[in-house]
Amino acid sequence: MDRDAILLTPGPLTTTLRTKLAMLRDWGSWDAEFNALTAEVRSLLLAIAHAQDTHVVVPLQGSGTFSVEAAVATLVPRDGHILVLDNGAYCKRLGRLATLMGRRTTIAAHAEDAPVSADALDARLRDDPSITHVGVIHCETGTGVLNPLQAVSEVCERHGKGLIVDAMSSFAALEIDARRVRFDALVAASGKCLEGVPGMGFVFIRKAVLDACAGRSHSLAMDLHDQHVYMEKTGQWRFTPPTHVVAALAEAIRQFIEAGGQPARLARYTDNCRTLIDGMAELGFKPFLRSELQAPIIVTFHAPASPHYDFKKFYLAVKQRGFILYPGKLTQVETFRVGCIGAIGRNEMQQAVNAVADALRDLDIATN
Ligand SMILES: *Cc1c(COP(=O)(O)O)cnc(C)c1O
């Protein structure tokens, strides 16, 4: 079939033709045209987060994790102490990268099928004054659970702690208003809910803490303060920019705005999520999370108990029908995940459910 499969994954995502076509050019990294593109993207990103007055936004080459790593490296002093609120795989990644770069790291373990607790954080911060920063994942993509960003940020503000938010899978879909949620750094990337292509992340850094970040990073490439200072001075990226990714992101954001911005994106993804969960329920699939905890980003389903079920075979059978699923990330229970994000709507979700139904029939998998 000479058509790309629909990506039901948390990035890369299915993109529009307009976004793909924006990449069919070569840009010089020093050229004024490309610098203008970078400036446009930065200014649009600040507007999406309502952060023009309070934050700067610093783009960085690489996948989203590179930007999470850079945020920790740039924000947390080398003798600082970061508390990571852990309810899933991406939280564990944050804890691990902070540990590896030599920052004192404490993990606050939570169950994977529940949000992290702002009350427990409050008690923890009262008990341990050595903690300087808190790390939280807004939507934990490992399961799809939504964490209470507003409540966590209020606790951090009350205790005078810096907050680093991985909003990779939620930014542009769920509301994040920097005028109401206080964070020192918030990280997202090109290839998630803005529906660009993967290859760059960006970090909103609170202006009030920016100057103090100078020289904190142990890494040249991961130093967001340095990247910011250079970009402000020259309009350029410090090192080779991902030119095609920036061009695609600019085009993706223009479409995002034309379609109605964050509320419209949330409405489409919510509809996708409902279509998926309802359709899968008719086939006998149960979501891993209680519905009130489910963000409309990615859904974890329990795998069928049938002895005929094998994720790899199931995956291939669904792929043959044009849809790419995502493996589960839980160790205790057998699951798989289906993303609701990307340039897709209700029709694609319904077709995905049909593809799953056909795959079950092919593989003789009973679901109840
Ligand atoms: C996608 C994602 C990341 C970044 O993953 P990469 O593979 O490095 O792009 C980080 N955190 C969350 C919550 C994500 O969904």
Side-chain angles (χ1 to χ4, degrees), residues 114-238:
V116 300
S117 159
D119 289 341
L121 172 64
D122 191 42
R124 196 96 186 211
L125 293 179
R126 217 177 309 122
D127 290 349
D128 188 348
S130 75
I131 293 165
T132 57
H133 290 77
V134 172
V136 70
I137 313 289
H138 188 199
C139 169
E140 169 45 74
T141 319
T143 54
V145 69
L146 183 62
N147 280 322
L149 179 57
Q150 182 79 41
V152 166
S153 88
E154 282 164 15
V155 170
C156 289
E157 179 168 15
R158 207 172 329 119
H159 288 269
K161 307 299 181 186
L163 176 63
I164 297 177
V165 185
D166 172 348
M168 206 74 66
S169 62
S170 58
F171 182 76
L174 304 183
E175 189 187 26
I176 297 173
D177 186 336
R179 297 167 302 188
R180 296 198 290 112
V181 188
R182 186 177 183 274
F183 51 81
D184 280 9
L186 185 134
V187 191
S190 54
K192 299 263 179 164
C193 299
L194 284 172
E195 300 180 357
V197 302
M200 62 172 272
F202 47 89
V203 185
F204 297 93
I205 302 178
R206 202 150 64 87
K207 287 176 184 170
V209 303
L210 186 63
D211 285 347
C213 292
R216 275 183 185 165
S217 175
H218 57 284
S219 152
L220 176 68
M222 294 288 164
D223 189 341
L224 294 172
H225 182 269
D226 203 40
Q227 175 92 319
H228 180 256
V229 168
Y230 187 83
M231 213 169 248
E232 286 295 301
K233 200 163 71 190
T234 64
Q236 297 161 14
W237 299 55
R238 277 180 313 167

Side-chain angles (χ1 to χ4, degrees), residues 272-285 301 349-350 353-354 356-357:
N272 286 354
C273 187
R274 197 169 302 129
T275 304
L276 173 72
I277 290 178
D278 290 352
M280 292 292 276
E282 275 177 38
L283 302 179
F285 286 98
F301 289 101
M349 297 316 282
Q350 189 56 56
V353 171
N354 296 344
V356 167

Side-chain angles (χ1 to χ4, degrees), residues 199-367:
M200 62 172 272
F202 47 89
V203 185
F204 297 93
I205 302 178
R206 202 150 64 87
K207 287 176 184 170
V209 303
L210 186 63
D211 285 347
C213 292
R216 275 183 185 165
S217 175
H218 57 284
S219 152
L220 176 68
M222 294 288 164
D223 189 341
L224 294 172
H225 182 269
D226 203 40
Q227 175 92 319
H228 180 256
V229 168
Y230 187 83
M231 213 169 248
E232 286 295 301
K233 200 163 71 190
T234 64
Q236 297 161 14
W237 299 55
R238 277 180 313 167
F239 312 126
T240 305
T243 46
H244 299 74
V245 177
V246 177
L249 181 58
E251 196 59 39
I253 297 177
R254 291 178 202 126
Q255 292 164 84
F256 169 82
I257 293 165
E258 287 164 22
Q262 177 269 327
R265 187 123 315 174
L266 177 60
R268 176 157 58 83
Y269 289 174
T270 301
D271 187 53
N272 286 354
C273 187
R274 197 169 302 129
T275 304
L276 173 72
I277 290 178
D278 290 352
M280 292 292 276
E282 275 177 38
L283 302 179
F285 286 98
K286 289 177 194 62
F288 171 73
L289 293 173
R290 285 182 288 136
S291 63
E292 67 271 25
L293 306 179
Q294 174 73 57
I297 304 292
I298 188 164
V299 182
T300 300
F301 289 101
H302 287 284
S306 160
H308 297 165
Y309 176 80
D310 168 67
F311 178 73
K312 283 210 181 87
K313 286 186 194 146
F314 179 57
Y315 172 90
L316 286 174
V318 176
K319 181 183 171 183
Q320 253 178 14
R321 293 166 170 86
F323 296 88
I324 301 286
L325 302 176
Y326 212 56
K329 223 169 188 158
L330 303 177
T331 42
Q332 306 296 320
V333 251
E334 173 84 6
T335 57
F336 64 92
R337 287 177 289 168
V338 188
C340 311
I341 61 181
I344 53 176
R346 185 186 297 182
N347 288 341
E348 285 78 13
M349 297 316 282
Q350 189 56 56
Q351 288 158 9
V353 171
N354 296 344
V356 167
D358 289 348
L360 292 177
R361 207 169 308 122
D362 258 20
L363 299 170
D364 195 20
I365 299 171
T367 47

